[in-house]
Amino acid sequence: MVEYIGEPLRKSLTDPHAYVRKTRVMVVLKQYHLDHDCFHKCDFVDIMYNMLRDNDANVVKNCILVLNEIMAVEGCVALNRAIMLHLLNRIHEFSILPVLALVGRYQPANEEDMYQIMNLLNPVLRTNNSAAVLAIVKIF
């Protein structure tokens, strides 16, 4: 029965309502645990990476959490400069800690990238969230 969920799940990930997309992202994780073959056949990993650019902050946060769990078995989440800068430019909009966990694993290509990331993280140091401040200190 699980193999029949793949296509409806793919369609629901493009629903116009953010709550539906946010919830379905978590269903993708359940699908991964139930049926790896169907999961890979439906190409959910690529869809999750594309959804990192979603307009809704909760959808992005759930995508980060799901990708972290899925890709933990296969290595780690693959990040490029564009994804990292996109997430850092929107860091004030959604949960800070999942993004900071990704930033800690990102290896800047040169000093310019490193300073750009540090400049984007500078306003987050003013937060009242002690876990976020400690995560930034760990990154620096």
Side-chain angles (χ1 to χ4, degrees), residues 13-19 21-22 25 48-61 63 86-87 90 93-94:
L13 290 171
T14 59
D15 193 275
H17 300 287
Y19 182 80
R21 293 190 312 272
K22 175 186 82 150
V25 167
M48 291 292 103
Y49 275 111
N50 290 336
M51 289 183 75
L52 286 175
R53 298 181 191 271
D54 196 273
N55 293 330
D56 187 71
N58 290 319
V59 174
V60 174
K61 180 185 72 164
C63 284
H86 175 75
L87 293 173
R90 296 183 57 205
E93 295 180 19
F94 48 84

Side-chain angles (χ1 to χ4, degrees), residues 18-81:
Y19 182 80
V20 174
R21 293 190 312 272
K22 175 186 82 150
T23 306
R24 294 303 185 234
V25 167
M26 298 310 288
V27 175
V28 167
L29 182 60
K30 186 69 171 179
Q31 176 77 13
Y32 171 76
H33 288 298
L34 291 175
D35 188 3
H36 289 285
D37 295 333
C38 182
F39 177 84
H40 291 293
K41 185 170 56 172
C42 291
D43 206 21
F44 283 126
V45 173
D46 289 338
I47 293 171
M48 291 292 103
Y49 275 111
N50 290 336
M51 289 183 75
L52 286 175
R53 298 181 191 271
D54 196 273
N55 293 330
D56 187 71
N58 290 319
V59 174
V60 174
K61 180 185 72 164
N62 282 358
C63 284
I64 291 172
L65 296 173
V66 168
L67 281 170
N68 277 336
E69 187 164 339
I70 290 170
M71 301 307 284
V73 175
E74 301 173 12
C76 64
V77 177
L79 295 174
N80 60 25
R81 185 175 186 271

Side-chain angles (χ1 to χ4, degrees), residues 44-139:
F44 283 126
V45 173
D46 289 338
I47 293 171
M48 291 292 103
Y49 275 111
N50 290 336
M51 289 183 75
L52 286 175
R53 298 181 191 271
D54 196 273
N55 293 330
D56 187 71
N58 290 319
V59 174
V60 174
K61 180 185 72 164
N62 282 358
C63 284
I64 291 172
L65 296 173
V66 168
L67 281 170
N68 277 336
E69 187 164 339
I70 290 170
M71 301 307 284
V73 175
E74 301 173 12
C76 64
V77 177
L79 295 174
N80 60 25
R81 185 175 186 271
I83 292 173
M84 185 57 54
L85 292 178
H86 175 75
L87 293 173
L88 287 174
N89 282 321
R90 296 183 57 205
I91 198 166
H92 64 280
E93 295 180 19
F94 48 84
S95 183
I96 295 172
L97 296 177
V99 174
L100 293 177
L102 288 179
V103 173
R105 287 186 259 157
Y106 178 70
Q107 295 296 322
N110 53 37
E111 282 190 23
E112 181 182 330
D113 283 350
M114 181 179 65
Y115 288 126
Q116 187 174 17
I117 289 170
M118 290 171 72
N119 287 334
L120 289 170
L121 289 174
N122 194 27
V124 181
L125 285 171
R126 294 185 208 115
T127 186
N128 291 332
N129 187 343
S130 60
V133 173
L134 287 174
I136 292 174
V137 168
K138 182 180 170 186
I139 292 168

